[in-house]
Amino acid sequence: MAYAPLTIVCDGGFSNLRRSLSNPKVDVPSCFVGLILENCELPHANHGHVIIADPSPILFYPISSTEIRCLVDVPGQKVPSVSNGEMAHYLKTMVAPQIPPQLYTAFITAVNKGNIRTMTNRSMPAAPQPTPGALLLGDAFNMRHPLTGGGMTVALSDIVLLRDLLRPLHNLHDASALCRYLESFYTLRKPVASTINTLAGALYKVFSASADKAREEMREACFDYLSLGGAFSEGPISLLSGLNPHPISLVLHFFAVAIYGVGRLLLPFPSPTRIWTGARLISGASGIIFPIIRAEGVRQMFFPATVPAYYRAPPVD
């Protein structure tokens, strides 16, 4: 039996230990269906691609000089059966017609090979219960929809922050004092983690198809907003990558997309129907982002300096 004064628990998205160290509320918005495409070219070499498909996005990105990973998002917690051929039929009839033509043949070939993998996409806000002698990290602690690939960015940012907090310590054996000190970790991580978490959840909802005309307008406005280039694409990309860990910038860009969508509706000639759709677009945008922000914690996200743990000093040996 081995003992340690501090145990870092990072046993992944299916953690068996998180319930002892946090109050997890796991949501499963969708599943990914994975394929490997061989010997084909992406429309833009060496770039990741998001296909805004119906009913939800499809991802393509290179993993070697000859292989491209495809991840098809399937909403809900259940996917068509792989074993009885339902999944192959779904991919050929529902998904294949929506992918870029240069990937079509390789996609059908990959489906026919039958090497299809599925995984659940999980979202879980961080809800720590500070416990002497233990600390959660990674997907065991906090998850977001993998559409944006932000999981490793958050995890590595948390590791760097924890390293800096532990660096001045020479003795970890006072578990209670160490636990009080490391409460600052949960507040200091919020700018990076909550920005990426909120962006992932919001983009997934925006990019998913909807029968609501206002939601479809928001979806098209988001794509066109990013297509403007310059600050309109650099800003969201810097948020996505963790280079701009400022939640207020995320909120400003998100509502800039909504206002851009309303402007497209009202120009050149507004009508009562278009005005009503624009109002529902703003309302829908608020309904997407504000619940995510509430789950992340408004105070910790936007006003971390008002949280007492923000100022915790290292325990004195």
Side-chain angles (χ1 to χ4, degrees):
M1 185 71 70
Y3 297 92
L6 178 63
T7 301
I8 308 298
V9 178
C10 44
D11 55 338
F14 297 93
S15 173
N16 293 317
L17 302 173
R18 68 160 65 101
R19 291 191 178 279
S20 301
L21 302 171
S22 67
N23 182 27
K25 295 180 181 178
V26 180
D27 180 40
V28 182
S30 66
C31 300
F32 267 158
V33 178
L35 297 164
I36 301 295
L37 279 56
E38 298 177 329
N39 301 314
C40 57
E41 296 291 334
L42 287 165
H44 301 277
N46 302 317
H47 284 70
H49 292 62
V50 180
I51 311 301
I52 303 178
D54 183 4
S56 51
I58 306 167
L59 306 182
F60 293 96
Y61 55 91
I63 58 173
S64 76
S65 59
T66 61
E67 296 175 312
I68 294 168
R69 176 169 288 144
C70 169
L71 296 174
V72 178
D73 188 86
V74 179
Q77 300 183 18
K78 293 183 178 180
V79 297
S81 171
V82 175
S83 60
N84 66 11
E86 288 181 2
M87 177 63 76
H89 179 74
Y90 175 84
L91 294 173
K92 289 179 180 180
T93 58
M94 296 294 295
V95 178
Q98 302 185 73
I99 68 174
Q102 55 266 62
L103 299 175
Y104 182 88
T105 301
F107 182 85
I108 295 297
T109 300
V111 173
N112 288 336
K113 282 186 176 180
N115 191 20
I116 302 170
R117 297 287 183 266
T118 63
M119 61 167 278
T120 54
N121 294 328
R122 298 180 164 215
S123 177
M124 183 185 73
Q129 294 177 346
T131 304
L135 188 80
L136 277 169
L137 272 184
D139 282 354
F141 177 44
N142 182 204
M143 294 183 284
R144 76 290 310 145
H145 195 283
L147 171 68
T148 58
M152 287 302 297
T153 305
V154 172
L156 293 172
S157 174
D158 283 352
I159 289 168
V160 170
L161 173 59
L162 186 60
R163 177 205 64 186
D164 292 342
L165 288 172
L166 294 176
R167 178 172 283 162
L169 304 183
H170 303 289
N171 186 345
L172 303 179
H173 285 85
D174 188 339
S176 297
L178 180 62
C179 182
R180 285 193 299 273
Y181 169 58
L182 289 181
E183 285 180 17
S184 61
F185 167 76
Y186 303 118
T187 301
L188 294 170
R189 69 181 296 273
K190 273 294 179 181
V192 173
S194 61
T195 298
I196 293 175
N197 294 346
T198 304
L199 184 59
L203 276 182
Y204 177 69
K205 291 184 177 181
V206 168
F207 282 167
S208 295
S210 172
D212 184 350
K213 173 66 174 174
R215 282 284 295 274
E216 282 301 297
E217 287 290 341
M218 181 71 176
R219 190 190 199 194
E220 293 180 17
C222 185
F223 181 82
D224 290 345
Y225 181 89
L226 294 170
S227 299
L228 294 172
F232 303 103
S233 60
E234 291 172 4
I237 292 300
S238 67
L239 292 165
L240 190 68
S241 61
L243 297 175
N244 178 13
H246 296 99
I248 192 64
S249 295
L250 167 61
V251 173
L252 291 174
H253 275 288
F254 190 79
F255 280 102
V257 170
I259 293 168
Y260 177 73
V262 172
R264 289 171 8 125
L265 283 169
L266 300 185
L267 295 175
F269 303 109
S271 68
T273 300
R274 287 172 172 262
I275 292 172
W276 175 241
T277 302
R280 289 197 298 112
L281 193 156
I282 295 293
S283 174
S286 301
I288 287 172
I289 197 167
F290 288 144
I292 302 173
I293 290 174
R294 192 179 304 116
E296 289 291 326
V298 175
R299 184 182 180 190
Q300 293 89 340
M301 190 169 173
F302 293 99
F303 311 105
T306 67
V307 179
Y310 186 85
Y311 302 98
R312 291 281 160 84
V316 179
D317 290 345

mmCIF file of all heavy atoms in Angstrom, residues 271-307:
data_model
loop_
_atom_site.group_PDB
_atom_site.id
_atom_site.type_symbol
_atom_site.label_atom_id
_atom_site.label_comp_id
_atom_site.label_asym_id
_atom_site.label_seq_id
_atom_site.Cartn_x
_atom_site.Cartn_y
_atom_site.Cartn_z
ATOM 1 N N SER A 271 -39.687 43.976 -42.460
ATOM 2 C CA SER A 271 -41.119 43.677 -42.500
ATOM 3 C C SER A 271 -41.506 43.172 -41.121
ATOM 4 O O SER A 271 -40.644 42.784 -40.324
ATOM 5 C CB SER A 271 -41.410 42.611 -43.563
ATOM 6 O OG SER A 271 -40.845 41.362 -43.176
ATOM 7 N N PRO A 272 -42.795 43.179 -40.789
ATOM 8 C CA PRO A 272 -43.198 42.673 -39.462
ATOM 9 C C PRO A 272 -42.703 41.255 -39.195
ATOM 10 O O PRO A 272 -42.267 40.940 -38.085
ATOM 11 C CB PRO A 272 -44.732 42.736 -39.525
ATOM 12 C CG PRO A 272 -45.015 43.844 -40.489
ATOM 13 C CD PRO A 272 -43.942 43.767 -41.524
ATOM 14 N N THR A 273 -42.744 40.403 -40.226
ATOM 15 C CA THR A 273 -42.284 39.019 -40.051
ATOM 16 C C THR A 273 -40.791 38.978 -39.760
ATOM 17 O O THR A 273 -40.327 38.239 -38.877
ATOM 18 C CB THR A 273 -42.583 38.192 -41.311
ATOM 19 O OG1 THR A 273 -43.986 38.198 -41.547
ATOM 20 C CG2 THR A 273 -42.092 36.759 -41.145
ATOM 21 N N ARG A 274 -40.018 39.778 -40.502
ATOM 22 C CA ARG A 274 -38.572 39.802 -40.294
ATOM 23 C C ARG A 274 -38.207 40.395 -38.930
ATOM 24 O O ARG A 274 -37.285 39.938 -38.268
ATOM 25 C CB ARG A 274 -37.891 40.600 -41.407
ATOM 26 C CG ARG A 274 -37.869 39.868 -42.741
ATOM 27 C CD ARG A 274 -37.365 40.759 -43.868
ATOM 28 N NE ARG A 274 -37.177 39.987 -45.083
ATOM 29 C CZ ARG A 274 -36.020 39.499 -45.494
ATOM 30 N NH1 ARG A 274 -34.934 39.725 -44.783
ATOM 31 N NH2 ARG A 274 -35.916 38.801 -46.608
ATOM 32 N N ILE A 275 -38.940 41.424 -38.518
ATOM 33 C CA ILE A 275 -38.688 42.027 -37.198
ATOM 34 C C ILE A 275 -38.964 41.001 -36.098
ATOM 35 O O ILE A 275 -38.204 40.864 -35.136
ATOM 36 C CB ILE A 275 -39.544 43.298 -37.013
ATOM 37 C CG1 ILE A 275 -39.062 44.403 -37.962
ATOM 38 C CG2 ILE A 275 -39.494 43.773 -35.561
ATOM 39 C CD1 ILE A 275 -39.972 45.624 -37.986
ATOM 40 N N TRP A 276 -40.059 40.257 -36.236
ATOM 41 C CA TRP A 276 -40.410 39.232 -35.248
ATOM 42 C C TRP A 276 -39.359 38.124 -35.217
ATOM 43 O O TRP A 276 -38.952 37.669 -34.142
ATOM 44 C CB TRP A 276 -41.790 38.674 -35.555
ATOM 45 C CG TRP A 276 -42.204 37.528 -34.687
ATOM 46 C CD1 TRP A 276 -42.508 36.266 -35.080
ATOM 47 C CD2 TRP A 276 -42.347 37.538 -33.269
ATOM 48 N NE1 TRP A 276 -42.842 35.478 -34.006
ATOM 49 C CE2 TRP A 276 -42.757 36.235 -32.875
ATOM 50 C CE3 TRP A 276 -42.191 38.518 -32.289
ATOM 51 C CZ2 TRP A 276 -42.990 35.895 -31.556
ATOM 52 C CZ3 TRP A 276 -42.425 38.175 -30.965
ATOM 53 C CH2 TRP A 276 -42.819 36.877 -30.609
ATOM 54 N N THR A 277 -38.887 37.710 -36.392
ATOM 55 C CA THR A 277 -37.835 36.688 -36.447
ATOM 56 C C THR A 277 -36.563 37.195 -35.790
ATOM 57 O O THR A 277 -35.883 36.457 -35.066
ATOM 58 C CB THR A 277 -37.549 36.285 -37.905
ATOM 59 O OG1 THR A 277 -38.747 35.789 -38.514
ATOM 60 C CG2 THR A 277 -36.471 35.207 -37.971
ATOM 61 N N GLY A 278 -36.231 38.491 -36.037
ATOM 62 C CA GLY A 278 -35.044 39.087 -35.410
ATOM 63 C C GLY A 278 -35.151 39.112 -33.898
ATOM 64 O O GLY A 278 -34.173 38.837 -33.183
ATOM 65 N N ALA A 279 -36.338 39.429 -33.393
ATOM 66 C CA ALA A 279 -36.537 39.446 -31.936
ATOM 67 C C ALA A 279 -36.378 38.046 -31.364
ATOM 68 O O ALA A 279 -35.756 37.852 -30.307
ATOM 69 C CB ALA A 279 -37.926 40.006 -31.614
ATOM 70 N N ARG A 280 -36.906 37.040 -32.077
ATOM 71 C CA ARG A 280 -36.761 35.660 -31.600
ATOM 72 C C ARG A 280 -35.315 35.186 -31.714
ATOM 73 O O ARG A 280 -34.865 34.355 -30.927
ATOM 74 C CB ARG A 280 -37.692 34.743 -32.391
ATOM 75 C CG ARG A 280 -39.159 34.954 -32.038
ATOM 76 C CD ARG A 280 -40.055 33.822 -32.490
ATOM 77 N NE ARG A 280 -40.049 33.664 -33.942
ATOM 78 C CZ ARG A 280 -39.529 32.621 -34.568
ATOM 79 N NH1 ARG A 280 -38.942 31.647 -33.884
ATOM 80 N NH2 ARG A 280 -39.576 32.541 -35.889
ATOM 81 N N LEU A 281 -34.589 35.733 -32.688
ATOM 82 C CA LEU A 281 -33.166 35.385 -32.806
ATOM 83 C C LEU A 281 -32.390 35.856 -31.574
ATOM 84 O O LEU A 281 -31.594 35.098 -31.001
ATOM 85 C CB LEU A 281 -32.586 36.024 -34.074
ATOM 86 C CG LEU A 281 -31.205 35.545 -34.553
ATOM 87 C CD1 LEU A 281 -31.055 35.800 -36.051
ATOM 88 C CD2 LEU A 281 -30.088 36.250 -33.815
ATOM 89 N N ILE A 282 -32.625 37.098 -31.160
ATOM 90 C CA ILE A 282 -31.960 37.623 -29.953
ATOM 91 C C ILE A 282 -32.381 36.825 -28.725
ATOM 92 O O ILE A 282 -31.548 36.463 -27.875
ATOM 93 C CB ILE A 282 -32.293 39.117 -29.754
ATOM 94 C CG1 ILE A 282 -31.714 39.966 -30.896
ATOM 95 C CG2 ILE A 282 -31.754 39.613 -28.409
ATOM 96 C CD1 ILE A 282 -30.209 40.021 -30.940
ATOM 97 N N SER A 283 -33.678 36.515 -28.641
ATOM 98 C CA SER A 283 -34.166 35.735 -27.508
ATOM 99 C C SER A 283 -33.552 34.338 -27.508
ATOM 100 O O SER A 283 -33.145 33.822 -26.457
ATOM 101 C CB SER A 283 -35.694 35.642 -27.575
ATOM 102 O OG SER A 283 -36.192 34.783 -26.575
ATOM 103 N N GLY A 284 -33.465 33.732 -28.697
ATOM 104 C CA GLY A 284 -32.871 32.399 -28.796
ATOM 105 C C GLY A 284 -31.404 32.391 -28.433
ATOM 106 O O GLY A 284 -30.914 31.462 -27.770
ATOM 107 N N ALA A 285 -30.679 33.433 -28.860
ATOM 108 C CA ALA A 285 -29.256 33.539 -28.513
ATOM 109 C C ALA A 285 -29.082 33.634 -27.000
ATOM 110 O O ALA A 285 -28.196 32.999 -26.421
ATOM 111 C CB ALA A 285 -28.638 34.753 -29.204
ATOM 112 N N SER A 286 -29.951 34.410 -26.357
ATOM 113 C CA SER A 286 -29.888 34.532 -24.895
ATOM 114 C C SER A 286 -30.194 33.194 -24.236
ATOM 115 O O SER A 286 -29.550 32.804 -23.248
ATOM 116 C CB SER A 286 -30.895 35.584 -24.408
ATOM 117 O OG SER A 286 -30.634 36.849 -24.993
ATOM 118 N N GLY A 287 -31.162 32.466 -24.808
ATOM 119 C CA GLY A 287 -31.527 31.164 -24.252
ATOM 120 C C GLY A 287 -30.450 30.110 -24.422
ATOM 121 O O GLY A 287 -30.438 29.106 -23.713
ATOM 122 N N ILE A 288 -29.533 30.328 -25.378
ATOM 123 C CA ILE A 288 -28.418 29.406 -25.576
ATOM 124 C C ILE A 288 -27.304 29.676 -24.580
ATOM 125 O O ILE A 288 -26.818 28.773 -23.887
ATOM 126 C CB ILE A 288 -27.880 29.503 -27.020
ATOM 127 C CG1 ILE A 288 -28.854 28.860 -28.007
ATOM 128 C CG2 ILE A 288 -26.503 28.837 -27.141
ATOM 129 C CD1 ILE A 288 -28.489 29.070 -29.462
ATOM 130 N N ILE A 289 -26.875 30.937 -24.488
ATOM 131 C CA ILE A 289 -25.629 31.224 -23.761
ATOM 132 C C ILE A 289 -25.838 31.428 -22.258
ATOM 133 O O ILE A 289 -24.985 31.020 -21.450
ATOM 134 C CB ILE A 289 -24.908 32.442 -24.379
ATOM 135 C CG1 ILE A 289 -23.447 32.462 -23.904
ATOM 136 C CG2 ILE A 289 -25.632 33.737 -24.077
ATOM 137 C CD1 ILE A 289 -22.558 33.417 -24.671
ATOM 138 N N PHE A 290 -26.955 32.027 -21.851
ATOM 139 C CA PHE A 290 -27.103 32.341 -20.432
ATOM 140 C C PHE A 290 -27.225 31.111 -19.534
ATOM 141 O O PHE A 290 -26.643 31.086 -18.437
ATOM 142 C CB PHE A 290 -28.270 33.303 -20.213
ATOM 143 C CG PHE A 290 -27.989 34.713 -20.680
ATOM 144 C CD1 PHE A 290 -28.978 35.495 -21.250
ATOM 145 C CD2 PHE A 290 -26.718 35.253 -20.553
ATOM 146 C CE1 PHE A 290 -28.714 36.783 -21.677
ATOM 147 C CE2 PHE A 290 -26.436 36.539 -20.975
ATOM 148 C CZ PHE A 290 -27.436 37.307 -21.545
ATOM 149 N N PRO A 291 -27.928 30.043 -19.929
ATOM 150 C CA PRO A 291 -27.925 28.846 -19.077
ATOM 151 C C PRO A 291 -26.535 28.227 -18.920
ATOM 152 O O PRO A 291 -26.197 27.706 -17.842
ATOM 153 C CB PRO A 291 -28.875 27.891 -19.820
ATOM 154 C CG PRO A 291 -29.769 28.777 -20.598
ATOM 155 C CD PRO A 291 -28.911 29.929 -21.027
ATOM 156 N N ILE A 292 -25.714 28.287 -19.972
ATOM 157 C CA ILE A 292 -24.349 27.751 -19.878
ATOM 158 C C ILE A 292 -23.535 28.590 -18.903
ATOM 159 O O ILE A 292 -22.789 28.060 -18.062
ATOM 160 C CB ILE A 292 -23.682 27.720 -21.267
ATOM 161 C CG1 ILE A 292 -24.502 26.881 -22.237
ATOM 162 C CG2 ILE A 292 -22.265 27.157 -21.159
ATOM 163 C CD1 ILE A 292 -23.991 26.932 -23.672
ATOM 164 N N ILE A 293 -23.665 29.912 -19.000
ATOM 165 C CA ILE A 293 -22.942 30.807 -18.092
ATOM 166 C C ILE A 293 -23.394 30.573 -16.653
ATOM 167 O O ILE A 293 -22.576 30.540 -15.727
ATOM 168 C CB ILE A 293 -23.165 32.277 -18.506
ATOM 169 C CG1 ILE A 293 -22.431 32.567 -19.822
ATOM 170 C CG2 ILE A 293 -22.694 33.228 -17.410
ATOM 171 C CD1 ILE A 293 -22.709 33.952 -20.381
ATOM 172 N N ARG A 294 -24.697 30.398 -16.464
ATOM 173 C CA ARG A 294 -25.223 30.162 -15.110
ATOM 174 C C ARG A 294 -24.634 28.885 -14.530
ATOM 175 O O ARG A 294 -24.256 28.834 -13.347
ATOM 176 C CB ARG A 294 -26.748 30.086 -15.156
ATOM 177 C CG ARG A 294 -27.402 30.140 -13.776
ATOM 178 C CD ARG A 294 -28.924 30.097 -13.880
ATOM 179 N NE ARG A 294 -29.432 31.167 -14.716
ATOM 180 C CZ ARG A 294 -30.072 30.969 -15.878
ATOM 181 N NH1 ARG A 294 -30.264 29.736 -16.326
ATOM 182 N NH2 ARG A 294 -30.503 31.988 -16.566
ATOM 183 N N ALA A 295 -24.524 27.839 -15.356
ATOM 184 C CA ALA A 295 -23.954 26.579 -14.881
ATOM 185 C C ALA A 295 -22.474 26.727 -14.536
ATOM 186 O O ALA A 295 -21.978 26.091 -13.594
ATOM 187 C CB ALA A 295 -24.142 25.494 -15.938
ATOM 188 N N GLU A 296 -21.753 27.557 -15.275
ATOM 189 C CA GLU A 296 -20.328 27.786 -15.010
ATOM 190 C C GLU A 296 -20.124 28.636 -13.755
ATOM 191 O O GLU A 296 -19.092 28.522 -13.094
ATOM 192 C CB GLU A 296 -19.667 28.468 -16.208
ATOM 193 C CG GLU A 296 -19.506 27.579 -17.427
ATOM 194 C CD GLU A 296 -18.476 26.489 -17.207
ATOM 195 O OE1 GLU A 296 -17.474 26.730 -16.499
ATOM 196 O OE2 GLU A 296 -18.674 25.378 -17.726
ATOM 197 N N GLY A 297 -21.082 29.493 -13.433
ATOM 198 C CA GLY A 297 -20.975 30.374 -12.268
ATOM 199 C C GLY A 297 -20.681 31.802 -12.693
ATOM 200 O O GLY A 297 -19.560 32.101 -13.118
ATOM 201 N N VAL A 298 -21.676 32.681 -12.605
ATOM 202 C CA VAL A 298 -21.523 34.065 -13.089
ATOM 203 C C VAL A 298 -20.416 34.788 -12.322
ATOM 204 O O VAL A 298 -19.551 35.445 -12.920
ATOM 205 C CB VAL A 298 -22.863 34.824 -12.947
ATOM 206 C CG1 VAL A 298 -22.681 36.288 -13.320
ATOM 207 C CG2 VAL A 298 -23.930 34.187 -13.823
ATOM 208 N N ARG A 299 -20.430 34.655 -11.011
ATOM 209 C CA ARG A 299 -19.444 35.382 -10.198
ATOM 210 C C ARG A 299 -18.026 34.904 -10.478
ATOM 211 O O ARG A 299 -17.118 35.706 -10.705
ATOM 212 C CB ARG A 299 -19.775 35.207 -8.714
ATOM 213 C CG ARG A 299 -18.859 36.000 -7.780
ATOM 214 C CD ARG A 299 -19.216 35.724 -6.326
ATOM 215 N NE ARG A 299 -18.374 36.454 -5.400
ATOM 216 C CZ ARG A 299 -18.357 36.247 -4.086
ATOM 217 N NH1 ARG A 299 -19.160 35.325 -3.556
ATOM 218 N NH2 ARG A 299 -17.557 36.937 -3.298
ATOM 219 N N GLN A 300 -17.819 33.590 -10.473
ATOM 220 C CA GLN A 300 -16.481 33.043 -10.705
ATOM 221 C C GLN A 300 -16.004 33.334 -12.125
ATOM 222 O O GLN A 300 -14.809 33.518 -12.371
ATOM 223 C CB GLN A 300 -16.476 31.537 -10.467
ATOM 224 C CG GLN A 300 -16.711 31.142 -9.022
ATOM 225 C CD GLN A 300 -18.192 30.966 -8.710
ATOM 226 O OE1 GLN A 300 -19.045 31.471 -9.431
ATOM 227 N NE2 GLN A 300 -18.490 30.246 -7.637
ATOM 228 N N MET A 301 -16.933 33.401 -13.067
ATOM 229 C CA MET A 301 -16.590 33.575 -14.467
ATOM 230 C C MET A 301 -16.227 35.022 -14.784
ATOM 231 O O MET A 301 -15.227 35.298 -15.459
ATOM 232 C CB MET A 301 -17.775 33.115 -15.326
ATOM 233 C CG MET A 301 -17.500 33.000 -16.805
ATOM 234 S SD MET A 301 -18.885 32.141 -17.609
ATOM 235 C CE MET A 301 -18.404 32.331 -19.334
ATOM 236 N N PHE A 302 -17.028 35.966 -14.303
ATOM 237 C CA PHE A 302 -16.836 37.369 -14.676
ATOM 238 C C PHE A 302 -16.197 38.214 -13.570
ATOM 239 O O PHE A 302 -15.589 39.242 -13.868
ATOM 240 C CB PHE A 302 -18.184 37.991 -15.069
ATOM 241 C CG PHE A 302 -18.769 37.418 -16.322
ATOM 242 C CD1 PHE A 302 -19.752 36.439 -16.261
ATOM 243 C CD2 PHE A 302 -18.326 37.828 -17.573
ATOM 244 C CE1 PHE A 302 -20.296 35.902 -17.411
ATOM 245 C CE2 PHE A 302 -18.857 37.291 -18.727
ATOM 246 C CZ PHE A 302 -19.845 36.331 -18.647
ATOM 247 N N PHE A 303 -16.343 37.789 -12.321
ATOM 248 C CA PHE A 303 -15.801 38.583 -11.207
ATOM 249 C C PHE A 303 -15.001 37.704 -10.253
ATOM 250 O O PHE A 303 -15.278 37.661 -9.044
ATOM 251 C CB PHE A 303 -16.952 39.271 -10.446
ATOM 252 C CG PHE A 303 -17.919 39.994 -11.330
ATOM 253 C CD1 PHE A 303 -19.175 39.449 -11.597
ATOM 254 C CD2 PHE A 303 -17.580 41.212 -11.913
ATOM 255 C CE1 PHE A 303 -20.072 40.102 -12.423
ATOM 256 C CE2 PHE A 303 -18.480 41.877 -12.737
ATOM 257 C CZ PHE A 303 -19.726 41.331 -12.993
ATOM 258 N N PRO A 304 -13.996 36.968 -10.750
ATOM 259 C CA PRO A 304 -13.260 36.049 -9.877
ATOM 260 C C PRO A 304 -12.548 36.745 -8.723
ATOM 261 O O PRO A 304 -12.364 36.146 -7.658
ATOM 262 C CB PRO A 304 -12.259 35.395 -10.834
ATOM 263 C CG PRO A 304 -12.123 36.350 -11.969
ATOM 264 C CD PRO A 304 -13.465 36.971 -12.123
ATOM 265 N N ALA A 305 -12.172 38.001 -8.919
ATOM 266 C CA ALA A 305 -11.448 38.723 -7.866
ATOM 267 C C ALA A 305 -12.328 39.005 -6.651
ATOM 268 O O ALA A 305 -11.820 39.395 -5.593
ATOM 269 C CB ALA A 305 -10.879 40.027 -8.415
ATOM 270 N N THR A 306 -13.653 38.826 -6.780
ATOM 271 C CA THR A 306 -14.541 39.039 -5.629
ATOM 272 C C THR A 306 -14.710 37.768 -4.800
ATOM 273 O O THR A 306 -15.372 37.804 -3.762
ATOM 274 C CB THR A 306 -15.933 39.508 -6.096
ATOM 275 O OG1 THR A 306 -16.585 38.440 -6.815
ATOM 276 C CG2 THR A 306 -15.824 40.730 -7.003
ATOM 277 N N VAL A 307 -14.134 36.653 -5.253
ATOM 278 C CA VAL A 307 -14.216 35.396 -4.513
ATOM 279 C C VAL A 307 -13.055 35.327 -3.523
ATOM 280 O O VAL A 307 -11.898 35.467 -3.923
ATOM 281 C CB VAL A 307 -14.163 34.189 -5.477
ATOM 282 C CG1 VAL A 307 -14.225 32.877 -4.702
ATOM 283 C CG2 VAL A 307 -15.299 34.272 -6.491
#
